């Protein structure tokens, strides 16, 4: 019985309660946790109160699980503070207050040609920088689910990035791992089996491009419950890995588009609106949502055709501005402008900034 007594002696409770437990032949942590507080009182012949029983259960739980932390505990432990992954652009980093949050799921959502993939490709390079330069000093895994990985474009960006930071191109490329998945089940296997191996080997960024592509194909409209269940399961798996390895998961998402009657009278005046795909089941898994938009140089949309955004529809795109004029020539710039907007983030205000894409990558303007 000595081993059992040693277990009880570890409980940080009044010795009177320990003696009562021993008299009731309750010697192990499982014995305590498997009984409710009233049951413990009865087993101890009412030699302990309900509050005593609760104290015993809390003490027993502390032996098998982490001790609850206060806000002050977390603040003092700098290793637990959430870091940031730079986007590689100071203007974008300013909007994001340092970059992508280094824990949790960040969603990059937008229409086709909004530069979602370009943005993610750049992150695979910045993550390799030292923390003092905005990186996480690790590699990246890029899980492609739609098209083939844009290797030529990526190599172009690697060349510019290596020149800018005086790094070796070959080393940069060797720290980026490519995975392909053509089904939800395949994606699940990659995330739960292959990604943990890579995380243990120094990968510090996981990108899925995109989540919506597979779920839209593998689940029919009549399988909404099954789809929601799998989205929740996938989201939880990613969050657990993110917390364990201090690694951000960046997930690209598509949008759903619909047109609604603006005045409710069946007129031709309509407003176009886009919302992220996969619905509420996926939105509940996302910690940060960033919206990317493309703004054509010749914007001929009238007010009734604008893409709207409001507090009630926080996922919709919003900007209808024309590109700025070139003051030197008096004509509009031919560069295609894009914008990044924060539409969901507990740590950020709803702000935005403009950017462009060139051979070197994504740059704010």
């Amino acid at each position: 019985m000595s081993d059992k007594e040693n277990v009880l002696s570890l409980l940080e409770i009044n010795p009177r309660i320990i003696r009562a437990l021993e008299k009731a032949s309750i010697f192990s942590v499982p014995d305590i946790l498997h009984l409710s507080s009233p049951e413990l009182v009865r087993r101890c012949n009412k030699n302990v109160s309900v509050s005593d029983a609760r104290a015993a259960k809390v003490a027993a739980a502390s032996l098998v699980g982490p001790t609850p932390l206060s806000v002050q505990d977390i603040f003092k432990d700098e290793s637990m503070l959430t870091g940031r992954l730079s986007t590689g652009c100071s203007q974008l980093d300013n909007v994001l207050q340092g970059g992508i949050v280094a824990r949790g799921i960040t969603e990059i959502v937008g229409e086709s040609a909004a530069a979602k993939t370009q943005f993610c490709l750049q992150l695979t390079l910045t993550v390799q920088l030292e923390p003092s330069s905005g990186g996480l000093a690790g590699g990246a895994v890029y899980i492609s689910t739609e098209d083939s990985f844009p290797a030529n474009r990526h190599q172009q960006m690697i060349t510019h990035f290596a020149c800018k930071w005086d790094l070796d191109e070959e080393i940069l490329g060797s720290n980026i791992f490519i995975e392909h998945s053509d089904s939800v089940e395949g994606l699940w296997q990659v995330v739960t089996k292959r990604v943990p191996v890579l995380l243990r080997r120094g990968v510090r960024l996981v990108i899925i491009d995109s989540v919506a592509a597979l779920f839209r194909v593998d689940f029919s409209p009549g399988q909404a419950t099954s789809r929601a269940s799998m989205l929740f399961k996938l989201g939880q798996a990613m969050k657990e890995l993110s917390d364990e390895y201090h690694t951000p998961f960046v997930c690209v998402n598509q949008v759903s588009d619909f047109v609604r009657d603006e005045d409710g009278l069946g007129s031709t005046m309509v407003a176009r609106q886009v919302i992220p795909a996969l619905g509420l089941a996926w939105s509940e898994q996302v910690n940060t949502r960033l919206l990317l938009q493309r703004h054509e140089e010749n914007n001929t949309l009238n007010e009734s055709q604008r893409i709207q955004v409001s507090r009630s529809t926080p996922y919709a795109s919003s900007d209808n501005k024309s590109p700025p004029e070139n003051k030197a020539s008096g004509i509009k710039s031919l560069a295609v402008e894009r914008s990044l907007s924060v539409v969901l983030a507990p740590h950020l205000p709803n702000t935005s900034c403009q950017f462009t894409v060139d051979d070197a990558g994504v740059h704010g303007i």
Side-chain angles (χ1 to χ4, degrees):
M1 187 181 294
S2 59
D3 291 339
K4 295 179 179 179
E5 289 175 347
N6 289 336
V7 171
L8 291 181
S9 67
L10 296 176
L11 299 180
E12 297 182 358
I13 54 178
N14 192 306
R16 172 182 57 78
I17 302 175
I18 293 178
R19 290 194 295 271
L21 293 172
E22 290 174 343
K23 290 181 180 179
S25 298
I26 299 174
F27 299 107
S28 69
V29 168
D31 288 342
I32 298 173
L33 295 180
H34 289 168
L35 295 173
S36 66
S37 296
E39 288 174 333
L40 276 175
V41 172
R42 288 194 294 271
R43 284 282 298 273
C44 293
N45 294 320
K46 298 184 179 181
N47 290 321
V48 296
S49 65
V50 172
S51 61
D52 290 337
R54 289 172 180 166
K57 290 176 70 65
V58 170
S62 68
L63 297 180
V64 295
T67 302
L69 297 175
S70 67
V71 173
Q72 191 65 18
D73 292 332
I74 297 175
F75 181 77
K76 289 180 179 179
D77 187 354
E78 292 186 0
S79 67
M80 298 184 67
L81 294 178
T82 301
R84 295 287 191 276
L85 168 60
S86 171
T87 63
C89 168
S90 59
Q91 290 95 322
L92 298 182
D93 285 347
N94 287 339
V95 169
L96 302 177
Q97 296 184 5
I100 301 296
V101 177
R103 286 193 188 181
I105 299 174
T106 295
E107 179 192 70
I108 309 298
V109 63
E111 297 178 276
S112 177
K116 301 185 297 295
T117 295
Q118 304 290 323
F119 186 88
C120 291
L121 292 177
Q122 189 155 300
L123 292 178
T124 67
L125 303 177
T126 61
V127 71
Q128 300 185 50
L129 298 174
E130 293 299 320
S132 58
S133 299
L136 299 177
V141 55
Y142 199 107
I143 306 171
S144 179
T145 68
E146 295 188 51
D147 303 317
S148 58
F149 181 77
N152 292 336
R153 170 56 176 154
H154 198 220
Q155 184 57 48
Q156 184 182 44
M157 295 176 69
I158 288 176
T159 299
H160 285 277
F161 192 82
C163 181
K164 176 181 178 180
W165 291 94
D166 192 23
L167 300 172
D168 186 275
E169 290 186 35
E170 186 174 346
I171 293 177
L172 284 172
S174 65
N175 285 331
I176 301 167
F177 303 90
I178 310 303
E179 293 282 353
H180 292 276
S181 180
D182 58 4
S183 68
V184 171
E185 179 59 30
L187 177 61
W188 173 254
Q189 292 300 319
V190 170
V191 170
T192 59
K193 303 298 182 183
R194 300 177 67 85
V195 167
V197 174
L198 294 172
L199 291 174
R200 289 193 290 269
R201 295 178 180 177
V203 162
R204 286 298 172 263
L205 170 66
V206 180
I207 295 173
I208 302 178
D209 185 5
S210 71
V211 175
L214 300 181
F215 280 87
R216 281 179 156 179
V217 172
D218 287 10
F219 291 92
S220 66
Q223 296 177 302
T225 301
S226 297
R227 187 179 78 165
S229 177
M230 188 62 198
L231 283 169
F232 176 81
K233 184 179 175 182
L234 178 64
Q236 291 304 301
M238 289 192 288
K239 287 183 177 181
E240 289 175 6
L241 290 173
S242 178
D243 287 341
E244 181 177 355
Y245 293 98
H246 297 198
T247 297
F249 277 69
V250 176
C251 298
V252 173
N253 193 9
Q254 301 170 352
V255 296
S256 297
D257 185 35
F258 66 92
V259 178
R260 63 183 176 83
D261 183 353
E262 189 167 48
D263 58 13
L265 301 176
S267 69
T268 58
M269 300 294 289
V270 295
R272 177 169 170 265
Q273 184 178 323
V274 293
I275 60 174
L278 302 180
L280 185 61
W282 170 247
S283 294
E284 290 180 342
Q285 309 308 314
V286 173
N287 300 106
T288 302
R289 170 168 283 156
L290 305 178
L291 171 69
L292 301 190
Q293 294 174 262
R294 176 189 175 101
H295 310 293
E296 299 292 348
E297 61 271 20
N298 294 317
N299 194 337
T300 59
L301 295 180
N302 58 41
E303 184 65 15
S304 66
Q305 293 172 308
R306 69 191 183 281
I307 301 176
Q308 297 181 326
V309 65
S310 67
R311 290 288 182 181
S312 60
T313 56
Y315 320 135
S317 46
S318 63
D319 203 305
N320 192 35
K321 297 178 181 178
S322 298
E325 292 187 359
N326 186 316
K327 294 183 179 180
S329 63
I331 62 175
K332 292 183 178 180
S333 169
L334 295 179
V336 176
E337 292 184 15
R338 295 172 170 87
S339 65
L340 177 147
S341 302
V342 179
V343 293
L344 173 65
H347 61 290
L348 296 173
N350 294 105
T351 56
S352 64
C353 71
Q354 307 294 115
F355 69 90
T356 61
V357 179
D358 60 19
D359 290 350
V362 176
H363 306 283
I365 55 177

